[in-house]
Amino acid sequence: MPPPSSAHSPLLKARRVVIKVGSALLVDGRTGRLNRRWLETLVEDLLRLRRRGQQVLLVSSGAIALGRRQLSLLKGPLRLEESQAAAAVGQIRLAHAYKELLENHRVTVAQVLLTLEDSERRRRYLNARATLETLLGLGVLPVINENDTVATAEIRYGDNDRLAARVAQMAGADCLVLLSDVDGLYTADPTRDVNAQFIDEVRRITPEIEAMGGGSASEFGTGGMATKILAARIAVAAGCHLCIAAGRPHHPIRRLEQGARCTWFRPSATPIAARKQWIAGTLRPAGALTIDPGALRALRAGRSLLPAGVIDARGRFERGDTVSVLTPAGAEVARGIIAYSDSDTARILGRKSAEIEGILGFRGRDELIHRDDLVLLQLSNP
Ligand code: GLU
């Protein structure tokens, strides 16, 4: 086996990897059946990543493609209601296949069906993020798809490329691999233009790069190169490496590790740095917390903000909003995403985290602002 190529090291080094599998790989275009043998080789690849200590999330298409066969709707484009029905029928088959294959290796599988709103609305985003975090913490492998059965035309991703990028962002993944029927990005459509050149690395998504995204060449998948480039935009802004690679051969991830050709989009920051940059850049924090000197010392030592260290809370905010953190003299020392609403914060401030459940009647986070959601600001006069 040749040594892993260093160009593919994001995949080897990543702590958390999202792998997106397109319908055209999973489902045989002629028969409409699941490509089981191929899927087995992918599952073996995922298991190897996990054995190396990497956390894996799978974004899998294929529900509609599988359901079409079952419902004898193989020909022609589907109406929206038909694709929703096909997704309902196909998703259960898809999930079953993953469960069977992975549980043979004693890996627990979770099905997570997301809608566009789960990533675009902050509260729902935080809920989905917390669920993924919990599943990964429990050693479960989440298999994610869009909830196509309830998603209508205006409120759906429609393609799993962008869904996968949102998942990568949500999970703070450092690497996202889009496995599809193309092996990467070309300067022009290689099936039509003999002069089309392969691009193996994109450091910045320029208008020229965007212009390279043509239409979809595959009959089953909805995402063409254009949606992959949109996905890359989301991923790199979230500090995640993104790779477009050929998924058709058996063991597609192992091939990549061994140096198979693919296109890498490089992020400009790490996932945490990207999130912190976003927090620091909030134009108008929704509220402000005043903290005591002990809490200030804790924040400076890199710890989270607990309710016990907060003296006062002002403003109207929801869980998930960005708030300022102030010294008793009113200097802004930090900003962060708060885990409780203004009314709940008012009730728990100054209290110990162990008391939260007794006061609010539910067990939320111990921290008011978790350190991963907190950024210290440069102070001219500390
Ligand atoms: N969510 C769709 C499915 O599972 C696929 C969307 C896509 O092809 O990207 O069938």
Side-chain angles (χ1 to χ4, degrees):
M1 191 189 287
S5 147
S6 64
H8 299 83
S9 62
L11 180 56
L12 295 168
K13 282 198 210 135
R15 186 180 60 93
R16 205 168 263 187
V17 185
V18 177
I19 296 182
K20 181 258 171 176
V21 185
S23 304
L25 308 176
L26 269 164
V27 182
D28 183 305
R30 208 172 35 82
T31 62
R33 282 178 201 277
L34 188 72
N35 284 327
R36 208 177 169 87
R37 180 64 202 116
W38 174 86
L39 188 56
E40 279 167 8
T41 72
L42 175 75
V43 162
E44 281 164 26
D45 284 358
L46 303 184
L47 292 168
R48 214 184 41 262
L49 261 63
R50 285 173 54 101
R51 278 197 297 274
R52 283 206 298 255
Q54 297 176 289
Q55 292 178 323
V56 181
L57 300 100
L58 192 65
V59 173
S60 178
S61 307
I64 297 174
L66 280 176
R68 290 181 79 144
R69 172 171 181 275
Q70 194 70 23
L71 296 174
S72 310
L73 292 171
L74 277 172
K75 294 234 155 19
L78 298 183
R79 285 182 291 124
L80 178 65
E81 310 82 82
E82 287 172 334
S83 27
Q84 291 178 321
V89 170
Q91 182 61 34
I92 199 166
R93 282 169 173 71
L94 190 61
H96 188 75
Y98 283 114
K99 176 186 171 288
E100 231 177 44
L101 290 176
L102 280 149
E103 290 193 356
N104 277 343
H105 299 273
R106 284 186 293 282
V107 174
T108 304
V109 180
Q111 170 182 266
V112 180
L113 298 179
L114 296 174
T115 60
L116 185 70
E117 294 210 307
D118 292 317
S119 69
E120 311 310 295
R121 300 187 78 124
R122 188 170 281 184
R123 261 182 99 99
R124 307 234 330 222
Y125 177 91
L126 291 174
N127 279 333
R129 190 177 87 176
T131 306
L132 292 177
E133 201 61 56
T134 306
L135 288 170
L136 292 171
L138 291 168
V140 173
L141 196 152
V143 177
I144 302 157
N145 198 356
E146 178 159 20
N147 194 350
D148 293 304
T149 300
V150 295
T152 59
E154 318 77 63
I155 53 150
R156 69 198 295 249
Y157 297 96
D159 68 87
N160 277 9
D161 294 322
R162 280 177 307 153
L163 171 67
R166 284 297 197 207
V167 166
Q169 180 185 39
M170 225 180 241
D174 12 44
C175 182
L176 163 59
V177 181
L178 301 178
L179 291 177
S180 76
D181 46 3
V182 288
D183 59 354
L185 181 64
Y186 291 79
T187 51
D189 181 350
T191 58
R192 292 193 200 143
D193 185 343
V194 287
N195 294 319
Q197 306 237 321
F198 189 80
I199 297 180
D200 52 19
E201 184 178 53
V202 177
R203 292 193 170 268
R204 215 162 61 81
I205 303 173
T206 58
E208 290 74 41
I209 296 286
E210 273 178 343
M212 290 170 197
S216 170
S218 127
E219 189 189 339
F220 278 107
T222 45
M225 195 48 76
T227 65
K228 292 186 174 44
I229 292 173
L230 287 173
R233 257 194 189 295
I234 298 169
V236 299
C240 179
H241 293 261
L242 177 137
C243 163
I244 302 174
R248 271 204 197 286
H250 284 183
H251 291 289
I253 301 293
R254 188 174 76 194
R255 284 184 75 252
L256 265 183
E257 290 170 0
Q258 292 174 351
R261 181 161 95 160
C262 67
T263 302
W264 277 105
F265 288 77
R266 306 289 183 198
S268 44
T270 63
I272 292 246
R275 180 138 110 240
K276 295 206 168 190
Q277 218 169 40
W278 179 80
I279 296 168
T282 309
L283 290 181
R284 221 177 316 163
L289 306 177
T290 306
I291 60 170
D292 66 22
L296 182 57
R297 275 195 300 280
L299 297 196
R300 292 220 166 109
R303 292 208 283 276
S304 301
L305 180 64
L306 303 177
V310 178
I311 307 167
D312 180 42
R314 268 173 293 145
R316 310 226 31 179
F317 48 86
E318 281 299 320
R319 167 172 128 77
D321 281 339
T322 302
V323 297
S324 294
V325 179
L326 312 176
T327 63
E332 187 180 25
V333 281
R335 275 184 192 181
I337 298 177
I338 193 153
Y340 291 90
S341 68
D342 49 11
S343 55
D344 289 346
T345 301
R347 293 166 67 196
I348 59 175
L349 60 81
R351 309 291 285 267
K352 290 211 168 60
S353 299
E355 296 177 277
I356 295 177
E357 190 173 1
I359 300 170
L360 299 182
F362 65 88
R363 187 165 162 217
R365 278 195 159 202
D366 283 351
E367 310 85 14
L368 208 47
I369 303 179
H370 189 271
R371 61 193 166 98
D372 286 351
D373 293 331
L374 187 101
V375 43
L376 288 176
L377 305 173
Q378 297 288 355
L379 262 195
S380 45
N381 185 15

Coordinates of all heavy atoms in Angstrom, one line a residue, residues 117-198:
E117 N -34.9 24.6 7.9 CA -35.1 25.4 9.1 C -34.1 25.0 10.2 O -33.8 25.8 11.1 CB -36.5 25.4 9.5 CG -37.4 26.0 8.5 CD -38.6 26.6 9.2 OE1 -39.3 25.8 10.0 OE2 -38.9 27.8 9.0
D118 N -33.8 23.7 10.2 CA -32.9 23.3 11.3 C -31.5 23.9 11.3 O -30.8 24.0 12.2 CB -32.8 21.7 11.3 CG -34.1 21.1 11.7 OD1 -34.7 21.5 12.6 OD2 -34.5 20.1 11.0
S119 N -31.2 24.4 10.1 CA -29.9 25.0 10.0 C -30.0 26.5 9.9 O -29.1 27.3 10.2 CB -29.0 24.5 8.8 OG -29.6 24.9 7.6
E120 N -31.2 27.0 9.4 CA -31.3 28.5 9.2 C -31.8 29.2 10.4 O -31.7 30.4 10.5 CB -32.1 28.8 8.0 CG -31.7 28.0 6.7 CD -30.2 28.0 6.4 OE1 -29.7 29.1 6.1 OE2 -29.6 27.0 6.5
R121 N -32.6 28.5 11.3 CA -33.1 29.2 12.5 C -32.3 28.8 13.7 O -32.0 27.7 13.9 CB -34.6 28.8 12.7 CG -35.4 29.1 11.5 CD -36.8 28.9 11.8 NE -37.3 30.0 12.6 CZ -38.3 30.7 12.3 NH1 -39.0 30.4 11.2 NH2 -38.7 31.6 13.0
R122 N -31.8 29.8 14.4 CA -30.8 29.7 15.4 C -31.2 28.7 16.5 O -30.4 27.8 16.8 CB -30.5 31.0 15.9 CG -29.3 30.9 16.8 CD -28.8 32.3 17.2 NE -28.0 32.8 16.1 CZ -27.5 34.0 16.2 NH1 -27.6 34.7 17.3 NH2 -26.8 34.5 15.2
R123 N -32.4 28.8 17.0 CA -32.8 27.9 18.0 C -32.7 26.4 17.6 O -32.3 25.6 18.3 CB -34.2 28.2 18.4 CG -34.4 29.0 19.7 CD -35.8 29.2 19.9 NE -36.3 28.3 20.9 CZ -36.4 28.6 22.2 NH1 -36.1 29.9 22.6 NH2 -36.8 27.8 23.1
R124 N -33.3 26.2 16.4 CA -33.3 24.9 15.9 C -31.9 24.4 15.5 O -31.6 23.2 15.7 CB -34.2 24.8 14.6 CG -35.6 25.4 14.9 CD -36.8 24.6 14.6 NE -36.7 23.6 13.6 CZ -37.7 23.4 12.7 NH1 -38.7 24.2 12.8 NH2 -37.6 22.5 11.8
Y125 N -31.1 25.3 15.1 CA -29.7 25.0 14.8 C -29.0 24.5 16.0 O -28.3 23.5 16.0 CB -29.1 26.3 14.2 CG -27.6 26.2 13.9 CD1 -27.2 25.8 12.7 CD2 -26.6 26.5 14.9 CE1 -25.8 25.8 12.4 CE2 -25.3 26.4 14.6 CZ -24.9 26.1 13.4 OH -23.5 26.0 13.1
L126 N -29.2 25.2 17.1 CA -28.6 24.8 18.4 C -29.1 23.5 18.9 O -28.3 22.7 19.4 CB -28.8 25.9 19.4 CG -28.1 27.2 19.2 CD1 -28.5 28.2 20.2 CD2 -26.6 27.0 19.2
N127 N -30.4 23.2 18.7 CA -30.9 22.0 19.1 C -30.3 20.8 18.3 O -29.9 19.8 18.8 CB -32.4 21.9 18.9 CG -33.1 22.6 20.1 OD1 -32.6 22.7 21.2 ND2 -34.3 23.2 19.8
A128 N -30.3 21.0 17.0 CA -29.7 20.0 16.1 C -28.2 19.8 16.4 O -27.8 18.6 16.5 CB -29.9 20.4 14.6
R129 N -27.6 20.9 16.7 CA -26.1 20.8 17.0 C -25.9 20.0 18.3 O -25.1 19.1 18.4 CB -25.5 22.2 17.2 CG -24.1 22.2 17.3 CD -23.5 23.6 17.3 NE -23.5 24.1 18.7 CZ -23.0 25.2 19.0 NH1 -22.5 26.0 18.1 NH2 -23.0 25.6 20.3
A130 N -26.8 20.3 19.3 CA -26.6 19.6 20.6 C -26.9 18.1 20.4 O -26.2 17.2 21.0 CB -27.6 20.2 21.6
T131 N -27.9 17.7 19.6 CA -28.2 16.3 19.3 C -27.0 15.6 18.7 O -26.6 14.5 19.1 CB -29.5 16.2 18.4 OG1 -30.5 17.0 19.0 CG2 -29.9 14.8 18.3
L132 N -26.5 16.2 17.7 CA -25.3 15.6 17.0 C -24.2 15.4 17.9 O -23.5 14.4 18.0 CB -24.9 16.4 15.8 CG -25.9 16.5 14.6 CD1 -25.3 17.5 13.5 CD2 -26.2 15.2 14.0
E133 N -23.9 16.4 18.7 CA -22.8 16.4 19.7 C -23.0 15.2 20.7 O -22.1 14.5 21.0 CB -22.8 17.7 20.5 CG -21.6 18.1 21.1 CD -20.4 18.3 20.2 OE1 -20.5 19.0 19.2 OE2 -19.4 17.6 20.4
T134 N -24.3 15.1 21.2 CA -24.6 14.0 22.1 C -24.4 12.6 21.5 O -23.8 11.7 22.0 CB -26.0 14.1 22.6 OG1 -26.2 15.5 23.1 CG2 -26.3 13.1 23.7
L135 N -24.9 12.5 20.2 CA -24.7 11.2 19.5 C -23.3 10.9 19.4 O -22.9 9.7 19.7 CB -25.4 11.3 18.2 CG -26.9 11.3 18.2 CD1 -27.5 11.6 16.8 CD2 -27.5 10.0 18.6
L136 N -22.5 11.8 19.0 CA -21.0 11.6 18.7 C -20.4 11.2 20.1 O -19.6 10.3 20.1 CB -20.4 12.8 18.1 CG -20.8 13.0 16.6 CD1 -20.2 14.4 16.1 CD2 -20.3 11.9 15.7
G137 N -20.8 11.9 21.1 CA -20.2 11.7 22.4 C -20.5 10.3 22.9 O -19.7 9.7 23.7
L138 N -21.6 9.7 22.5 CA -22.0 8.4 22.8 C -21.5 7.3 21.9 O -21.8 6.1 22.0 CB -23.6 8.3 22.9 CG -24.3 9.1 24.0 CD1 -25.8 9.1 23.8 CD2 -24.0 8.5 25.3
G139 N -20.7 7.8 20.9 CA -20.0 6.8 20.0 C -20.9 6.3 18.9 O -20.6 5.3 18.2
V140 N -22.0 7.0 18.7 CA -23.0 6.6 17.7 C -22.6 7.2 16.3 O -22.0 8.3 16.3 CB -24.4 7.1 18.1 CG1 -25.4 6.9 17.0 CG2 -24.8 6.5 19.4
L141 N -22.9 6.6 15.2 CA -22.6 7.1 13.9 C -23.9 7.7 13.3 O -24.8 7.0 13.0 CB -22.1 6.0 13.0 CG -21.4 6.5 11.7 CD1 -20.3 5.6 11.3 CD2 -22.3 6.8 10.6
P142 N -24.0 9.0 13.3 CA -25.3 9.6 12.7 C -25.3 9.5 11.2 O -24.3 9.8 10.5 CB -25.2 11.1 13.1 CG -24.0 11.2 14.0 CD -23.1 10.1 13.8
V143 N -26.4 9.0 10.7 CA -26.7 9.0 9.3 C -27.7 10.0 9.0 O -28.9 9.9 9.5 CB -27.1 7.6 8.8 CG1 -27.4 7.6 7.3 CG2 -26.0 6.6 9.1
I144 N -27.4 11.0 8.2 CA -28.2 12.2 8.1 C -28.7 12.4 6.7 O -28.0 12.1 5.7 CB -27.4 13.5 8.5 CG1 -26.8 13.3 9.9 CG2 -28.2 14.7 8.4 CD1 -25.6 14.1 10.2
N145 N -30.0 12.8 6.6 CA -30.5 13.1 5.2 C -31.5 14.3 5.4 O -31.9 14.6 6.6 CB -31.3 11.9 4.7 CG -31.5 12.0 3.1 OD1 -31.2 13.1 2.5 ND2 -32.1 11.0 2.6
E146 N -31.9 14.9 4.3 CA -33.0 15.9 4.5 C -34.3 15.2 4.7 O -34.5 14.0 4.2 CB -33.1 16.7 3.2 CG -34.2 17.7 3.3 CD -34.0 18.9 2.3 OE1 -33.3 18.7 1.3 OE2 -34.6 19.9 2.5
N147 N -35.1 15.8 5.5 CA -36.5 15.2 5.7 C -37.4 15.5 4.5 O -38.2 16.3 4.6 CB -37.0 15.8 7.0 CG -38.2 15.0 7.5 OD1 -38.7 14.1 6.8 ND2 -38.7 15.2 8.7
D148 N -37.1 14.8 3.4 CA -37.7 15.1 2.2 C -39.2 15.0 2.2 O -39.9 15.6 1.4 CB -37.2 14.2 1.1 CG -35.7 14.5 0.8 OD1 -35.4 15.6 0.5 OD2 -34.9 13.5 0.9
T149 N -39.7 14.1 3.1 CA -41.2 13.9 3.1 C -42.0 15.1 3.5 O -43.1 15.2 3.1 CB -41.4 12.7 4.1 OG1 -40.7 11.6 3.5 CG2 -42.9 12.3 4.1
V150 N -41.4 15.9 4.4 CA -42.1 17.1 4.8 C -41.6 18.4 4.2 O -42.2 19.4 4.3 CB -42.1 17.3 6.3 CG1 -42.9 16.1 7.0 CG2 -40.8 17.4 6.9
A151 N -40.4 18.3 3.5 CA -39.8 19.5 3.0 C -40.6 19.9 1.7 O -40.7 19.0 0.8 CB -38.4 19.3 2.7
T152 N -41.1 21.1 1.6 CA -41.7 21.5 0.3 C -40.7 22.3 -0.5 O -39.7 22.7 0.0 CB -43.0 22.3 0.6 OG1 -42.6 23.4 1.4 CG2 -44.0 21.5 1.4
A153 N -41.1 22.6 -1.7 CA -40.2 23.2 -2.6 C -39.4 24.5 -2.1 O -38.2 24.6 -2.2 CB -40.9 23.6 -3.9
E154 N -40.2 25.4 -1.4 CA -39.6 26.6 -1.0 C -38.7 26.4 0.3 O -37.8 27.3 0.5 CB -40.6 27.7 -0.6 CG -41.8 27.8 -1.5 CD -42.8 26.7 -1.3 OE1 -43.4 26.7 -0.2 OE2 -43.1 25.9 -2.2
I155 N -39.0 25.4 1.0 CA -38.2 25.3 2.3 C -37.4 24.0 2.3 O -37.4 23.3 3.3 CB -39.2 25.3 3.5 CG1 -40.3 24.3 3.4 CG2 -39.7 26.7 3.7 CD1 -40.8 23.8 4.7
R156 N -36.7 23.8 1.2 CA -35.8 22.6 1.3 C -34.4 22.9 0.7 O -34.3 23.9 0.0 CB -36.5 21.4 0.6 CG -36.5 21.6 -0.9 CD -37.6 20.6 -1.5 NE -37.1 19.2 -1.3 CZ -36.8 18.4 -2.3 NH1 -36.8 18.8 -3.5 NH2 -36.4 17.2 -2.0
Y157 N -33.5 22.2 1.2 CA -32.2 22.3 0.6 C -32.3 21.8 -0.9 O -31.7 22.4 -1.8 CB -31.1 21.4 1.3 CG -30.8 21.7 2.7 CD1 -31.5 21.0 3.7 CD2 -29.9 22.7 3.0 CE1 -31.2 21.3 5.0 CE2 -29.6 22.9 4.3 CZ -30.3 22.2 5.3 OH -30.0 22.5 6.6
G158 N -32.9 20.6 -1.0 CA -33.0 20.0 -2.3 C -31.8 19.2 -2.7 O -31.9 18.3 -3.5
D159 N -30.7 19.6 -2.2 CA -29.5 18.8 -2.6 C -28.7 18.6 -1.3 O -28.7 19.4 -0.4 CB -28.6 19.6 -3.6 CG -28.0 20.8 -2.9 OD1 -26.9 20.7 -2.3 OD2 -28.6 21.9 -3.0
N160 N -28.1 17.4 -1.2 CA -27.4 17.0 0.0 C -26.0 17.6 0.1 O -25.3 17.5 1.1 CB -27.4 15.5 0.2 CG -28.7 15.0 0.8 OD1 -29.6 15.8 0.9 ND2 -28.7 13.7 1.1
D161 N -25.5 18.3 -1.0 CA -24.2 18.9 -0.9 C -24.2 20.1 0.2 O -23.4 20.1 1.1 CB -23.8 19.5 -2.2 CG -23.6 18.4 -3.2 OD1 -23.1 17.3 -2.9 OD2 -23.9 18.6 -4.4
R162 N -25.2 20.9 0.0 CA -25.3 22.0 1.0 C -25.7 21.6 2.3 O -25.3 22.1 3.4 CB -26.3 23.1 0.4 CG -25.6 24.0 -0.6 CD -26.5 25.0 -1.2 NE -27.7 24.3 -1.7 CZ -28.9 24.9 -1.7 NH1 -29.1 26.1 -1.3 NH2 -29.9 24.2 -2.2
L163 N -26.6 20.6 2.4 CA -27.0 20.0 3.7 C -25.8 19.5 4.4 O -25.6 19.8 5.6 CB -28.0 18.8 3.5 CG -28.3 18.0 4.7 CD1 -29.0 18.8 5.8 CD2 -29.1 16.7 4.3
A164 N -24.9 18.8 3.6 CA -23.7 18.2 4.2 C -22.8 19.4 4.8 O -22.2 19.2 5.8 CB -22.9 17.4 3.2
A165 N -22.7 20.5 4.0 CA -21.9 21.6 4.5 C -22.4 22.2 5.7 O -21.7 22.6 6.7 CB -21.8 22.6 3.4
R166 N -23.8 22.3 5.8 CA -24.4 22.8 7.0 C -24.1 21.9 8.2 O -23.9 22.3 9.3 CB -25.9 23.0 6.8 CG -26.3 24.2 6.0 CD -25.8 25.4 6.7 NE -26.5 26.6 6.2 CZ -26.0 27.8 6.2 NH1 -24.8 28.0 6.8 NH2 -26.6 28.8 5.8
V167 N -24.2 20.6 7.9 CA -23.9 19.6 9.0 C -22.5 19.8 9.5 O -22.2 19.8 10.7 CB -24.2 18.2 8.5 CG1 -23.6 17.1 9.4 CG2 -25.7 18.0 8.3
A168 N -21.6 19.9 8.5 CA -20.2 20.1 8.9 C -20.0 21.3 9.8 O -19.2 21.3 10.8 CB -19.3 20.2 7.6
Q169 N -20.7 22.4 9.4 CA -20.6 23.6 10.2 C -21.2 23.4 11.6 O -20.6 23.8 12.6 CB -21.4 24.7 9.4 CG -21.4 26.0 10.1 CD -22.3 27.0 9.3 OE1 -23.3 26.6 8.8 NE2 -21.8 28.2 9.2
M170 N -22.3 22.8 11.6 CA -23.0 22.6 12.8 C -22.2 21.7 13.8 O -22.1 22.0 15.0 CB -24.3 21.7 12.5 CG -25.5 22.1 13.1 SD -26.8 21.0 12.5 CE -27.9 22.1 11.7
A171 N -21.6 20.7 13.2 CA -20.8 19.8 14.1 C -19.4 20.2 14.3 O -18.6 19.6 15.0 CB -20.8 18.4 13.4
G172 N -19.0 21.4 13.7 CA -17.6 21.8 13.9 C -16.7 20.8 13.3 O -15.6 20.6 13.8
A173 N -17.0 20.2 12.2 CA -16.2 19.2 11.6 C -15.0 19.9 10.9 O -15.0 21.0 10.5 CB -16.9 18.4 10.5
D174 N -13.8 19.2 10.8 CA -12.7 19.8 10.2 C -12.5 19.3 8.8 O -11.6 19.8 8.0 CB -11.4 19.7 11.0 CG -11.4 18.8 12.1 OD1 -12.0 17.7 11.9 OD2 -11.0 19.2 13.2
C175 N -13.3 18.3 8.4 CA -13.1 17.8 7.0 C -14.5 17.3 6.5 O -15.2 16.6 7.2 CB -12.1 16.7 7.0 SG -11.8 16.0 5.4
L176 N -14.8 17.7 5.3 CA -16.0 17.2 4.6 C -15.7 16.6 3.2 O -15.0 17.3 2.4 CB -17.0 18.4 4.4 CG -18.2 18.2 3.4 CD1 -19.1 17.0 3.8 CD2 -19.0 19.5 3.4
V177 N -16.0 15.4 3.0 CA -15.8 14.7 1.7 C -17.1 14.5 1.0 O -18.0 13.9 1.5 CB -15.1 13.4 1.9 CG1 -14.8 12.7 0.6 CG2 -13.8 13.5 2.8
L178 N -17.2 15.1 -0.2 CA -18.3 14.9 -1.1 C -18.0 13.8 -2.1 O -17.2 14.1 -3.0 CB -18.7 16.2 -1.8 CG -19.0 17.5 -1.0 CD1 -19.3 18.7 -1.9 CD2 -20.2 17.2 0.0
L179 N -18.6 12.7 -1.8 CA -18.3 11.6 -2.8 C -19.4 11.6 -3.9 O -20.6 11.6 -3.5 CB -18.4 10.2 -2.1 CG -17.3 9.9 -1.1 CD1 -17.6 8.6 -0.4 CD2 -15.9 9.9 -1.8
S180 N -19.0 11.7 -5.1 CA -20.0 11.8 -6.1 C -19.5 11.0 -7.4 O -18.6 10.3 -7.3 CB -20.3 13.2 -6.4 OG -19.3 13.8 -7.2
D181 N -20.2 11.3 -8.5 CA -19.8 10.6 -9.7 C -18.8 11.4 -10.5 O -18.4 11.0 -11.6 CB -21.0 10.1 -10.6 CG -22.0 11.3 -10.7 OD1 -21.7 12.4 -10.2 OD2 -23.1 11.0 -11.3
V182 N -18.3 12.5 -10.0 CA -17.2 13.2 -10.6 C -16.0 13.2 -9.7 O -16.2 13.1 -8.5 CB -17.5 14.7 -11.0 CG1 -18.5 14.8 -12.1 CG2 -18.1 15.4 -9.8
D183 N -14.8 13.3 -10.2 CA -13.6 13.2 -9.3 C -13.1 14.5 -8.9 O -12.1 14.6 -8.2 CB -12.5 12.3 -10.0 CG -12.0 12.9 -11.3 OD1 -12.6 13.9 -11.8 OD2 -11.1 12.3 -11.8
G184 N -13.8 15.6 -9.2 CA -13.3 16.9 -8.8 C -13.7 18.0 -9.7 O -14.6 17.8 -10.5
L185 N -13.1 19.1 -9.5 CA -13.5 20.3 -10.3 C -12.6 20.5 -11.5 O -11.4 20.3 -11.4 CB -13.3 21.5 -9.3 CG -13.6 22.9 -9.9 CD1 -15.1 23.0 -10.2 CD2 -13.2 24.0 -8.9
Y186 N -13.2 20.8 -12.6 CA -12.5 21.1 -13.9 C -12.7 22.5 -14.3 O -13.8 23.1 -14.0 CB -12.9 20.1 -15.0 CG -12.6 18.7 -14.8 CD1 -13.3 17.9 -13.9 CD2 -11.5 18.1 -15.4 CE1 -13.0 16.5 -13.7 CE2 -11.2 16.8 -15.2 CZ -11.9 16.0 -14.3 OH -11.6 14.7 -14.2
T187 N -11.8 23.0 -15.1 CA -12.0 24.4 -15.7 C -13.2 24.4 -16.6 O -13.8 25.5 -16.8 CB -10.8 24.8 -16.4 OG1 -10.4 23.8 -17.4 CG2 -9.6 25.1 -15.5
A188 N -13.6 23.3 -17.2 CA -14.8 23.2 -18.0 C -15.4 21.8 -17.9 O -14.7 21.0 -17.3 CB -14.4 23.6 -19.5
D189 N -16.5 21.6 -18.5 CA -17.1 20.2 -18.4 C -16.3 19.3 -19.2 O -16.2 19.3 -20.4 CB -18.6 20.3 -19.0 CG -19.3 19.0 -18.9 OD1 -18.6 18.0 -18.6 OD2 -20.5 18.9 -19.1
P190 N -15.6 18.3 -18.5 CA -14.7 17.4 -19.2 C -15.3 16.5 -20.2 O -14.7 15.9 -21.0 CB -14.0 16.6 -18.0 CG -15.0 16.7 -16.9 CD -15.7 18.0 -17.1
T191 N -16.6 16.3 -20.0 CA -17.3 15.4 -21.0 C -17.6 16.1 -22.3 O -17.9 15.5 -23.3 CB -18.7 14.9 -20.4 OG1 -19.5 16.0 -20.1 CG2 -18.5 14.0 -19.2
R192 N -17.4 17.4 -22.3 CA -17.7 18.2 -23.5 C -16.5 18.9 -24.1 O -16.5 19.2 -25.3 CB -18.8 19.2 -23.3 CG -20.1 18.6 -23.0 CD -21.3 19.5 -23.0 NE -22.4 18.9 -22.3 CZ -23.2 19.6 -21.6 NH1 -23.1 20.9 -21.4 NH2 -24.2 19.0 -20.9
D193 N -15.6 19.2 -23.2 CA -14.4 20.0 -23.6 C -13.1 19.3 -23.4 O -12.8 19.0 -22.2 CB -14.5 21.3 -22.8 CG -13.5 22.3 -23.2 OD1 -12.5 22.0 -23.9 OD2 -13.6 23.5 -22.8
V194 N -12.4 19.0 -24.5 CA -11.2 18.2 -24.3 C -10.1 19.0 -23.7 O -9.1 18.4 -23.1 CB -10.7 17.7 -25.7 CG1 -11.5 16.5 -26.2 CG2 -10.5 18.8 -26.7
N195 N -10.2 20.3 -23.6 CA -9.2 21.1 -23.0 C -9.5 21.3 -21.5 O -8.7 22.1 -20.9 CB -9.1 22.5 -23.7 CG -8.6 22.3 -25.1 OD1 -7.7 21.5 -25.4 ND2 -9.2 23.0 -26.1
A196 N -10.5 20.8 -21.0 CA -10.9 21.0 -19.6 C -9.7 20.5 -18.7 O -9.2 19.4 -18.9 CB -12.1 20.2 -19.2
Q197 N -9.3 21.3 -17.8 CA -8.2 21.0 -16.9 C -8.7 20.7 -15.5 O -9.6 21.4 -15.0 CB -7.2 22.2 -16.8 CG -6.8 22.7 -18.1 CD -5.3 22.7 -18.2 OE1 -4.6 23.0 -17.3 NE2 -4.8 22.4 -19.4
F198 N -8.0 19.7 -14.9 CA -8.4 19.4 -13.5 C -7.8 20.4 -12.5 O -6.7 20.8 -12.7 CB -7.9 18.0 -13.2 CG -8.4 17.4 -11.9 CD1 -9.7 16.9 -11.8 CD2 -7.6 17.5 -10.8 CE1 -10.2 16.4 -10.6 CE2 -8.1 17.0 -9.5 CZ -9.4 16.4 -9.5

